[in-house]
Amino acid sequence: MIETLRSMIGDIDPASASLAFIGIVLAAIGLEVARRALRWQQTVPPDVAERLAVAIGQAERGARQQLLGGHDRVIDVQFDLQPAPTHNAAGAISQGRLREIAAYYQRLRPRRLVITGASGAGKTVLAIELILSLIESRGKDDPVPVRLPATILNLDFKDDVDPMAATQQMERWLVDHLVRTYRLNRKSAWALVKAGLVLPVIDGLDELDATDTPGYASRAGHVLRVFNGYQRLRSKAELIVTCSSRQYSALIADYAWLEDAARVEIRPVSAAMARAFIVARAVDADRWNAVLDGMKRNRRGRLALALDTPWRLTLALTVYEERDSDGKFLRNPGALNGPATDTPEAIRDHLLGLFIPAAFRPYATRQPYESAQAQAWLAVLASYLDRNAATGRQVGGRVLSGTDIVLQELWPLAGFRRPRMVHTVIALLAAVLVTVPIVIAETVSRVPGVLTAIVACFAAVMAYAAWSTWPQPHRLVFGGRRTLKSDFRAVLNYGSWAGLAGAWMVKNRTGAALQILTGIACFIMMGSVGFITSGQTTSRDIGTPRPESIIRNDFVFGITFGMMVGLTFGLIFGVYRGMAVGLTYGIFLSLTTIFIFCAAGPRYVALLLCTRWPSRNSLPWRLGRFLAVCHQAGLIRIAGRGYQFRHRELQDYLARHATSWSSRSSPEPETPPCGDR
């Protein structure tokens, strides 16, 4: 075949022919890029904001329905203004209610609001109602309300935060959230933030610190200083924050609060409102007469105190409105008056203990999970989050979340070292599997050199697996918005190294002409891969992906890219060394590339392996699918790129009953070793 190629070249100058060929290829690529660039012009911020508002509206409607227990009836909770010692917003009135929250907020100058209340009082529901109301009445130039969990804020602690630094830090937080959660490209996200078309809604400020009494130097105190410096032109930027009453009052006592804002406190649900809600939601309100009479007789009794929040009322209705396949009720609400529920805390634990079986039972017949098994798995996750919240542990400079279940960031659950060691072992086993057929395919004289190359490649892979603390997942973007800069960079990044590698591989076997042609062929094949997959996310793709799809997308990216690398260089080896050698080297290079470009996926697999050995408290192999079922059952909710438990009380209850896991799953010290810098 080589002689045939040489005879085809004849007297043609190889260098001139190669340059001409490269010029033709680049010209064709340039024309295609120009055509697509005209088609996919940069979208102006108002248009992107409009599509973002639609995506957020869809996501928040689903979150609202889930928080309401699958119903559309909401308690019209009331709230009172609680002024800070100084620096309050103008235009705030003394009281309001849920259905008037949008009008209340729009009267504020500046529009900065803090929503506080007891645990389960409905702070998140009130914030979601405000978000949906603002989106429904939004004008073209109005900002889009975007809800961010406070726990995702990447803190940069400083004693003093000047307005410029605070604004820059806040803008970075917003841009990162828009890119990661809603799949905006970074340029569009920056354009939205700089134009003032994003209204941040920070949910759960109280979840930043493990203590109930955070002070000025706490994480929440630092975040408040950033918020206070966040500006839009000459005034404070618009902002909405939710926080529990106890933590926010502790911050105020230490002279830390959101300045130029109105703080509203959600009232407890009155006995009359609770009775009206139960009657409106219950299938047979007569079954609840004993509970309703008890709440009416003693408005400060255990029943009234235990059911004075929307969350507890939703729990009670979920548990006691459950029916079997014949339509018969499984439980009698009169049990809430029994001796086992003689305190508000006992009623709370009683309802939480029955909540998971009641919520999960409708899905047990369609999914391979039992409610007891689901409760055990959720207890493992809750225990891990509870330990993070209590200790404030850090790995690789990142504080481990005490509320968010993010699949690609969950590996520290099994320890700080063990998952990375297992990740390295997986790469080593792959090296052993591909080494044997390569050694068999090679001649004896070439085996030492081949083994040296293989060891070098996989040593780099294993070093990357061992020392990469937070591998980032990847995603293929076919098509998308095209720009000359992005396409040209992608073609060069993918094609240049492939062309140089291909030319170097055949430098001692062929003449200069064939060496150049081989490099050009590799450049074209891998450059085409870069061109196809280099599209940036368009405004049509704006939306929140399912959290479980992130790992799947990472595997798809790694396998696709690895197969293209293996095919390209496998063909070169096949042409010059025979198809058997080409096949073996193609498989080797594919696996090497997959482990380099798909690190988040193998790290996730390493986590699942670690939880199954040596601990008996394992997680399901298809953890993403299990969490998706739990989301459908209303046990957890989607929060950005991950999940959160439906309510912090549910997480705390599961963590308190997960004693077996806490004694065996984390034999390593709570403080990361010195290598986790």
Side-chain angles (χ1 to χ4, degrees):
M1 181 176 291
I2 295 176
E3 295 299 329
T4 303
L5 290 174
R6 285 174 176 169
S7 63
M8 292 172 61
I9 294 174
D11 296 331
I12 298 176
D13 179 30
S16 300
S18 300
L19 291 174
F21 185 76
I22 293 174
I24 294 172
V25 172
L26 292 178
I29 293 176
L31 289 174
E32 175 65 13
V33 169
R35 183 185 70 83
R36 296 197 179 192
L38 290 174
R39 180 181 176 186
W40 298 98
Q41 296 180 359
Q42 176 65 36
T43 307
V44 294
D47 294 337
V48 178
E50 182 64 29
R51 292 185 174 90
L52 178 63
V54 172
I56 290 177
Q58 293 174 347
E60 295 297 353
R61 277 195 296 271
R64 176 184 183 274
Q65 185 177 13
Q66 188 188 48
L67 290 174
L68 296 179
H71 293 262
D72 58 354
R73 295 183 183 274
V74 60
I75 300 177
D76 190 21
V77 295
Q78 299 175 343
F79 53 82
D80 299 307
L81 177 67
Q82 300 286 337
T86 58
H87 304 294
N88 291 284
I93 58 178
S94 60
Q95 61 185 13
R97 55 195 323 125
L98 180 140
R99 66 187 179 195
E100 302 168 351
I101 183 62
Y104 189 97
Y105 172 75
Q106 289 171 342
R107 281 193 294 264
L108 301 178
R109 293 295 181 273
R111 291 177 177 173
R112 292 163 72 88
L113 178 68
V114 181
I115 301 172
T116 61
S119 176
K123 299 181 291 295
T124 300
V125 173
L126 185 60
I128 291 176
E129 288 290 330
L130 177 55
I131 290 172
L132 293 175
S133 297
L134 292 176
I135 290 177
E136 289 173 355
S137 61
R138 179 181 175 272
K140 186 175 182 180
D141 297 327
D142 293 335
V144 181
V146 179
R147 186 160 59 102
L148 301 83
T151 52
I152 71 169
L153 302 180
N154 186 17
L155 301 179
D156 181 16
F157 284 101
K158 294 180 181 178
D159 293 334
D160 297 319
V161 183
D162 61 88
M164 182 175 293
T167 300
Q168 291 174 350
Q169 188 168 357
M170 192 69 190
E171 288 175 348
R172 285 196 299 270
W173 286 343
L174 293 175
V175 169
D176 289 341
H177 182 70
L178 292 175
V179 171
R180 294 179 179 179
T181 303
Y182 292 98
R183 297 186 296 196
L184 270 71
N185 62 73
R186 191 164 291 274
K187 187 174 182 180
S188 297
W190 273 111
L192 284 180
V193 173
K194 290 294 186 182
L197 291 176
V198 176
L199 166 59
V201 181
I202 311 299
D203 191 15
L205 184 68
D206 52 290
E207 295 174 351
L208 288 174
D209 298 286
T211 177
D212 288 338
T213 57
Y216 181 86
S218 65
R219 300 178 73 219
H222 172 75
V223 168
L224 283 174
R225 292 196 290 279
V226 174
F227 292 166
N228 289 334
Y230 180 39
Q231 291 186 327
R232 172 68 180 156
L233 299 179
R234 295 183 298 172
S235 61
K236 300 286 189 183
E238 299 182 19
L239 189 64
I240 301 169
V241 178
T242 71
C243 183
S244 76
S245 301
R246 181 179 299 179
Q247 277 88 340
Y248 199 77
S249 297
L251 289 165
I252 291 178
D254 210 9
Y255 301 100
W257 61 83
L258 186 65
E259 297 177 356
D260 298 317
R263 175 199 173 184
V264 297
E265 175 82 11
I266 300 177
R267 299 179 189 173
V269 177
S270 65
M273 294 178 66
R275 290 196 302 272
F277 182 69
I278 291 175
V279 171
R281 285 276 300 267
V283 175
D284 182 6
D286 292 339
R287 298 178 57 249
W288 291 83
N289 284 337
V291 175
L292 297 177
D293 291 342
M295 296 173 67
K296 184 177 181 179
R297 285 195 306 269
N298 189 353
R299 297 183 180 182
R300 300 299 299 171
R302 56 191 174 100
L303 280 175
L305 293 176
L307 302 178
D308 66 348
T309 64
W311 157 245
R312 298 274 185 83
L313 287 169
T314 302
L315 267 183
L317 286 163
T318 302
V319 168
Y320 286 105
E321 290 293 297
E322 184 188 8
R323 294 187 284 180
D324 60 16
S325 57
D326 296 328
K328 296 180 180 178
F329 291 100
L330 297 177
R331 303 176 187 91
N332 185 355
L336 293 174
N337 287 317
T341 55
D342 56 350
T343 64
E345 292 75 18
I347 294 175
R348 176 200 63 194
D349 290 347
H350 170 76
L351 294 175
L352 289 171
L354 296 173
F355 176 58
I356 292 180
F360 206 86
R361 194 183 305 275
Y363 298 89
T365 58
R366 292 177 285 170
Q367 303 292 342
Y369 310 122
E370 297 292 337
S371 59
Q373 189 180 43
Q375 187 161 350
W377 287 336
L378 290 174
V380 171
L381 297 172
S383 178
Y384 165 71
L385 297 176
D386 188 68
R387 191 164 61 251
N388 291 344
T391 60
R393 299 183 299 171
Q394 294 189 23
V395 175
R398 180 182 301 182
V399 178
L400 298 181
S401 176
T403 57
D404 300 337
I405 305 171
V406 183
L407 292 179
Q408 64 272 17
E409 299 174 1
L410 196 60
W411 63 266
L413 181 148
F416 298 116
R417 298 186 184 91
R418 194 189 310 160
R420 286 191 278 182
M421 292 174 60
V422 173
H423 187 178
T424 305
V425 170
I426 293 174
L428 179 62
L429 292 176
V432 172
L433 289 176
V434 299
T435 299
V436 174
I438 289 178
V439 171
I440 294 174
E442 288 288 358
T443 61
V444 176
S445 61
R446 297 180 57 84
V447 167
V450 170
L451 287 177
T452 302
I454 292 175
V455 170
C457 289
F458 270 92
V461 174
M462 288 187 289
Y464 178 77
W467 293 105
S468 59
T469 306
W470 298 105
Q472 294 299 314
H474 298 83
R475 181 172 69 95
L476 288 175
V477 182
F478 293 104
R481 181 177 62 83
R482 318 300 306 198
T483 64
L484 179 62
K485 182 179 179 180
S486 65
D487 286 329
F488 185 71
R489 184 194 300 128
V491 171
L492 285 183
N493 287 346
Y494 284 74
S496 58
W497 67 264
L500 292 174
W504 178 81
M505 288 166 56
V506 299
K507 66 178 181 178
N508 296 325
R509 302 182 182 89
T510 64
L514 287 177
Q515 184 179 353
I516 293 174
L517 288 176
T518 301
I520 292 174
C522 293
F523 178 88
I524 293 174
M525 292 185 68
M526 293 309 301
S528 300
V529 176
F531 180 76
I532 292 172
T533 61
S534 66
Q536 301 181 28
T537 302
T538 70
S539 57
R540 301 178 183 179
D541 300 323
I542 293 175
T544 53
R546 300 287 300 183
E548 66 271 14
S549 68
I550 297 177
I551 293 293
R552 181 173 64 250
N553 292 338
D554 187 61
F555 274 118
V556 170
F557 177 89
I559 293 172
T560 302
F561 190 56
M563 290 179 62
M564 291 304 301
V565 172
L567 177 63
T568 300
F569 293 100
L571 287 176
I572 294 174
F573 275 105
V575 170
Y576 292 105
R577 301 285 310 284
M579 295 309 297
V581 176
L583 179 62
T584 53
Y585 276 100
I587 296 174
F588 166 70
L589 292 171
S590 294
L591 287 175
T592 305
T593 306
I594 289 172
F595 279 101
I596 291 176
F597 290 96
C598 184
R603 181 66 59 84
Y604 170 72
V605 174
L607 160 69
L608 298 180
L609 289 171
C610 289
T611 60
R612 290 186 170 266
W613 180 86
S615 174
R616 291 177 294 175
N617 297 277
S618 62
L619 292 173
W621 283 116
R622 301 188 65 177
L623 178 59
R625 178 188 176 188
F626 167 70
L627 292 176
V629 174
C630 291
H631 174 255
Q632 294 174 359
L635 300 174
I636 59 177
R637 60 184 181 182
I638 293 178
R641 299 179 302 152
Y643 293 103
Q644 291 180 348
F645 280 94
R646 170 85 170 272
H647 196 274
R648 187 60 183 264
E649 280 190 353
L650 178 60
Q651 176 182 319
D652 293 341
Y653 174 82
L654 289 170
R656 291 198 308 269
H657 293 78
T659 55
S660 60
W661 170 258
S662 61
S663 63
R664 286 191 293 269
S665 65
S666 184
E668 302 183 35
E670 295 293 340
T671 303
C674 59
D676 289 310
R677 293 187 292 272

